[in-house]
Amino acid sequence: MTPQLQPEMEQNQCCLDTTQSFMERKTLTLREVVQVLDARVLTGEEHLDSVAHCACSSDLMSDVLAFVHEKALLLTGLANTQVIRTAEMLDLSCIIFVRGKQPPEEVLELARELDVTLLAVNKTMFVSAGLLYQAGLSGTPMGWENRREVN
Amino acid sequence: MNAHEIYSVEQQDYDRAGSASAAIKLLLRQKGIDKGIIRRVAIAAYEAEINLIIHSEGGKMELTIDDDMITLEVYDRGPGISDVMLAQMEGFSTACDVARNMGFGAGMGLPNIRRNADDFVMASRPSIGTLMVMNFYLKPQDDADKRRMGI
């Protein structure tokens, strides 16, 4: 093998590993998510059997709009109506408020109206994301090619 | 199928932020537009609406649906952007604290719009205002390309 070829090989290897680990990751029902995080259900009790395929955590809604797929859970410490609107635009069905945030009533109302399940957790974002990852849930795939996959 | 709607967005109207985009999304859904396209229009419209609220002195969003494409024109009454190229750079932002507290102002808005639209043009003049036009093709890109080239 010539030295010039090595970087390409390494890159391919890296891609393969990512795909494999992504395939191995599993989906979780929202009921399982509630158990794993010891979460409180704020709205959408009736949707706990629906399935989350991946998750992302961010307090920046513009980043969420740029990176996130549907069927993803959103973990955030931001508790205002813009989070629910962002979920609406992306067809996200579940938001988890971390760091013990209790969203105001207007947020709960909008979530009920739009059928978004809201959970609240008394843990930091890091720990919440870690627990979900440990339970087998993967992160939302990132990268330009994935962002255009929605087409 | 064809439709033309105009939505007004007022300066600093944070409480209603996202309502015009939600209305656009609902209309597209009623028209039976492809889900992936709806999602791209919704993300671009939402970012544009947030921009109008945060940065402009008020403006309008004009949605046109015809057989081949969806066009979204967003224009405002000022104050205009002095450096349009700089404003489109990922990470560049002049947003105020209120916007940042809402989860915006990360400098991702215009890049997000450009990424989701099939065509995107923007023009601005300080003290006059800003105009953005986005096209979203409803038919395969190849056909659209052919049409643009007059074939």
Side-chain angles (χ1 to χ4, degrees), chain B residues 99-141:
Chain B
R100 288 176 200 275
N101 289 340
M102 278 165 50
F104 293 93
M108 293 296 285
L110 291 176
N112 264 356
I113 292 171
R114 203 176 49 194
R115 189 175 301 137
N116 281 291
D118 289 317
D119 296 325
F120 171 71
V121 288
M122 182 174 171
S124 186
R125 181 167 288 180
S127 82
I128 304 287
T130 302
L131 166 72
M132 284 193 288
V133 183
M134 305 158 221
N135 287 336
F136 302 85
Y137 295 114
L138 296 173
K139 293 184 176 162
Q141 195 72 56

Side-chain angles (χ1 to χ4, degrees), chain B:
Chain B
M1 182 74 170
N2 295 10
H4 182 245
E5 293 287 336
I6 299 176
Y7 306 87
S8 285
V9 181
E10 296 309 316
Q11 177 180 19
Q12 312 282 311
D13 188 6
Y14 296 107
D15 291 340
R16 293 186 60 239
S19 52
S21 307
I24 288 174
K25 193 176 178 192
L26 182 66
L27 177 67
L28 296 183
R29 201 177 285 164
Q30 285 165 352
K31 295 278 177 191
I33 306 284
D34 173 80
K35 219 176 145 195
I37 297 175
I38 293 183
R39 194 180 146 97
R40 288 196 288 123
V41 177
I43 292 172
Y46 186 45
E47 290 282 15
E49 184 178 357
I50 295 289
N51 274 350
L52 284 179
I53 291 167
I54 295 173
H55 299 288
S56 86
E57 288 160 20
K60 286 187 163 53
M61 298 170 73
E62 208 166 318
L63 180 81
T64 310
I65 308 171
D66 67 25
D67 295 339
D68 298 327
M69 65 174 150
I70 296 166
T71 302
L72 185 62
E73 289 165 87
V74 182
Y75 45 89
D76 62 43
R77 293 187 285 272
I81 302 167
S82 54
D83 189 337
V84 173
M85 293 304 282
L86 181 63
Q88 289 183 55
M89 275 180 63
E90 221 164 81
F92 179 83
S93 175
T94 57
C96 59
D97 285 346
V98 182
R100 288 176 200 275
N101 289 340
M102 278 165 50
F104 293 93
M108 293 296 285
L110 291 176
N112 264 356
I113 292 171
R114 203 176 49 194
R115 189 175 301 137
N116 281 291
D118 289 317
D119 296 325
F120 171 71
V121 288
M122 182 174 171
S124 186
R125 181 167 288 180
S127 82
I128 304 287
T130 302
L131 166 72
M132 284 193 288
V133 183
M134 305 158 221
N135 287 336
F136 302 85
Y137 295 114
L138 296 173
K139 293 184 176 162
Q141 195 72 56
D142 284 346
D143 287 349
D145 286 341
K146 278 180 198 167
R147 198 187 57 248
R148 268 185 294 177
M149 288 183 290
I151 298 170

Side-chain angles (χ1 to χ4, degrees), chain A residues 24-94:
Chain A
E24 282 163 17
R25 312 301 297 183
K26 60 177 189 179
T27 59
L28 292 181
T29 64
L30 297 188
R31 201 177 299 284
E32 287 170 318
V33 170
V34 169
Q35 282 165 3
V36 167
L37 296 178
D38 190 20
R40 284 177 290 131
V41 182
L42 303 177
T43 68
E45 185 97 41
E46 66 277 20
H47 300 304
L48 291 185
D49 289 321
S50 63
V51 173
H53 291 247
C54 51
C56 91
S57 43
S58 180
D59 287 350
L60 280 174
M61 291 305 111
S62 278
D63 273 359
V64 176
L65 286 164
F67 298 119
V68 175
H69 281 225
E70 60 185 312
K71 310 252 181 206
L73 295 174
L74 171 61
L75 287 88
T76 184
L78 197 66
N80 60 29
T81 50
Q82 295 320 309
V83 179
I84 314 295
R85 286 288 183 205
T86 302
E88 182 190 10
M89 296 307 149
L90 292 169
D91 299 318
L92 305 182
S93 54
C94 178

